[in-house]
Each structure stands twice: as C-alpha cells, then as structure tokens.
Amino acid sequence: MVNKIWCQEGAKKWFFKKNPPLHPRVLSEPKCQKYVATWYLLYRWLIFMAWACIVICSIFEFGSYKPMLAYDKWPIYMTNWDLVLGFTQALLGGFLVLRRWNLQKVSGFDPSTLMLGSMDKVYLFLYVLTTNTAIVITITYWSSIYDPTIHYLDPLNIMLHICNSILMIIDFCITSIPFRLRNFWWCLILVILYTIFSVIYYLVGGVDKNGYHYIYKILDWKKPIQASLVCIGEAVLITILHSLMCFLDIIKNRLYLKIDKKLGRSYLETQMSRREKNIDIV
C-alpha cells in the first residue's frame, strides 16, 4: 500500500511538475560564460566542420581499407541517419552562436530579451536527439554489430562509431543546453521511425551493401521475434541513456556552480563581463 502511494506521488511529480521555461540564451552561450566569446564562436564552427568532414568521408568512404562505393545504400544505415542529425544540429548551433555574437556588438544589447524562436526549438530537439543517438549507436555497434572477421578497424569505422560520440560528449561538457527527463520521447520517435523503415525496406526486398536481405544482422526481419526484441531493447537503452544524461547534466550544473563560487565569479561576472566582452568579441 505504501509503495503504491509512493509510486502515485512519483507519477504526479513526473507528469505535473512544471519545469522553468527554457531561455534561448542557454542555446548560444557556453556553460562557463554568460556571453559569446570569440573562442566559442570558433569552437562551434569547428564542431560543424568536424561533422561535415565525417559526413563527406562516410559518403565517399574516405579512410576505408576496402571501399565499396555503394552510394545508394548510404541512407539505409542508422549510423548515417545520426550523421545527418549531427551535421544539421551543428549547422544550426553555429548560426545561433553567430547571431548572438553579432547581437552582442549592438550597444545596450541584453541577452535576457532574446525570444525562443523556431530555429532554437529545432536546434534543441536535434541536439538532444543527436547526443543520445550517437552514444547508443556507439554502444550498439561495438557490442552487437562489429565483427573483426568482416569489419575493418579503419579510420572511417572509428570516425563513424567513435568520433560521433566524442563530439557530442565534448559538446555536452561545454554547452549550456539542458537535458530534461520528460523529453525522452524525442529519442523514441527516431527508434520508431527507423523500425518502420527497416520493416518496409525488408518487405520490398531491400539488401545491405553486401547483398544480404537485411540492413543489420541483428535486425533481420526473417527472425521477427529477434528483430522486435532488438528494437525494444534499443528503445529501452536510449531511454535509460537519456535519463543518465539528465543526471549528468545536474552534476555538470553543480560542478560549474562550485567552480564559479570558488573563483568568486558570482561577483566578478557582474563587474568584468562587459569589459571582457568588449575585448573578446570584437
């Protein structure tokens, strides 16, 4: 009885607790500063170029020990869906930071007056989705798909299945973008879409780049129970990962707050931010 009441109370807090509204400034400034410095602008576009480089290498198989040049099969792989997401969110992030950097040059600009627009919302959605998807792809590939007798441990493989997660983890540590527990369903949308796509692709006779009648061996719909369990497992994994990222986001916030207090930044920030801004953004 007590457990039932406790669960009901927990559910109420989950579904009815109102989070503070997201302010768009957190989407365009680093966690360590309350303005956009030149280094952060350069960082954002370097991240975009890194994603662009990986996408180009993936399409043309640069860095592969045995390129197959199966361009028509490129869109069927979940890894490449993640690359498109990563490329898009990095591009949007670069534009948002560039816009904020230019606005700071205007005399009397106040970041608290920024409004949450469509681009901000799309960027937040893609950023959260890409972070979770990249890490899940890395975990799934190296634990369930990679076979040293078939796959080469070449630079392209590392870029596709390790560097994708590294880029998002670095971004997570530097940016101010929040993770909220309620947004776990964003990631489930992608899992459902890819599941539907893989079923349709199988039914129309689609094959992978090696000619096998599946996209991934673990997602072979000739074995529907196994494939269904894999999809359910991926949905559970990405939900758990999103919850973990929310927890790590709380730890990150507390860590930065502790560093700010230790450095006395709560006082210095109000006294020096304008002077530093004028030096660094021009």
Side-chain angles (χ1 to χ4, degrees):
M1 184 67 180
V2 175
N3 288 336
K4 184 177 180 180
I5 295 173
W6 183 84
C7 290
Q8 289 175 347
E9 290 299 317
K12 288 180 181 178
K13 290 181 179 179
W14 171 279
F15 289 107
F16 299 107
K17 180 182 177 182
K18 292 185 178 180
N19 289 315
L22 177 71
H23 198 283
R25 68 179 298 170
V26 302
L27 302 177
S28 59
E29 64 188 24
K31 193 68 180 175
C32 61
Q33 294 173 322
K34 299 302 180 185
Y35 61 94
V36 175
T38 304
W39 73 266
Y40 188 63
L41 177 65
L42 295 175
Y43 161 78
R44 284 254 54 97
W45 286 105
L46 284 173
I47 288 292
F48 166 73
M49 287 189 287
W51 278 106
C53 179
I54 295 175
V55 170
I56 292 172
C57 290
S58 174
I59 294 174
F60 297 102
E61 298 188 56
F62 297 147
S64 173
Y65 290 162
K66 189 180 178 181
M68 303 183 70
L69 304 179
Y71 302 123
D72 59 322
K73 303 301 180 185
W74 191 87
I76 71 174
Y77 293 100
M78 185 64 180
T79 300
N80 298 332
W81 286 31
D82 175 59
L83 294 184
V84 173
L85 291 173
F87 175 87
T88 307
Q89 64 85 25
L91 180 62
L92 290 177
F95 277 123
L96 288 176
V97 173
L98 179 61
R99 182 183 67 181
R100 170 76 180 276
W101 188 72
N102 285 323
L103 286 172
Q104 287 178 169
K105 296 179 180 180
V106 179
S107 178
F109 168 71
D110 183 1
S112 63
T113 60
L114 290 170
M115 302 295 291
L116 191 67
S118 299
M119 185 183 295
D120 303 273
K121 295 176 182 178
V122 172
Y123 173 57
L124 174 63
F125 171 76
L126 292 179
Y127 178 85
V128 172
L129 184 60
T130 305
T131 302
N132 292 321
T133 304
I135 298 174
V136 166
I137 284 175
T138 298
I139 294 172
T140 303
Y141 179 79
W142 295 108
S143 63
S144 305
I145 297 175
Y146 176 72
D147 183 351
T149 62
I150 301 174
H151 304 109
Y152 293 95
L153 192 60
D154 52 31
L156 180 60
N157 202 351
I158 293 173
M159 278 191 287
L160 297 181
H161 303 110
I162 295 179
C163 292
N164 59 336
S165 293
I166 291 176
L167 286 174
M168 295 313 300
I169 290 172
I170 292 173
D171 230 18
F172 172 78
C173 295
I174 294 177
T175 63
S176 300
I177 302 172
F179 277 72
R180 291 179 173 173
L181 205 55
R182 290 186 182 185
N183 296 337
F184 75 95
W185 63 272
W186 292 356
C187 305
L188 294 181
I189 291 175
L190 186 63
V191 175
I192 293 170
L193 286 177
Y194 193 76
T195 300
I196 294 172
F197 167 76
S198 67
V199 171
I200 295 174
Y201 190 75
Y202 170 78
L203 292 176
V204 298
V207 297
D208 72 348
K209 60 184 179 181
N210 293 309
Y212 295 110
H213 191 198
Y214 51 71
I215 301 175
Y216 296 104
K217 189 174 182 179
I218 62 172
L219 198 60
D220 185 356
W221 288 102
K222 288 195 295 290
K223 305 173 183 177
I225 296 178
Q226 173 187 299
S228 299
L229 289 175
V230 168
C231 294
I232 294 171
E234 291 297 302
V236 172
L237 176 60
I238 205 166
T239 302
I240 293 173
L241 179 65
H242 180 76
S243 302
L244 177 61
M245 295 303 296
C246 293
F247 176 70
L248 292 176
D249 189 52
I250 294 172
I251 293 177
K252 180 182 73 171
N253 292 336
R254 292 180 178 178
L255 180 61
Y256 271 100
L257 182 61
K258 185 176 291 187
I259 293 173
D260 285 347
K261 288 182 178 179
K262 189 173 182 179
L263 296 176
R265 195 171 293 171
S266 57
Y267 168 77
L268 292 176
E269 187 174 61
T270 57
Q271 302 297 321
M272 299 180 64
S273 62
R274 290 186 179 180
R275 180 166 61 87
E276 290 175 340
K277 187 190 302 181
N278 292 334
I279 293 173
D280 209 3
I281 69 174
V282 176

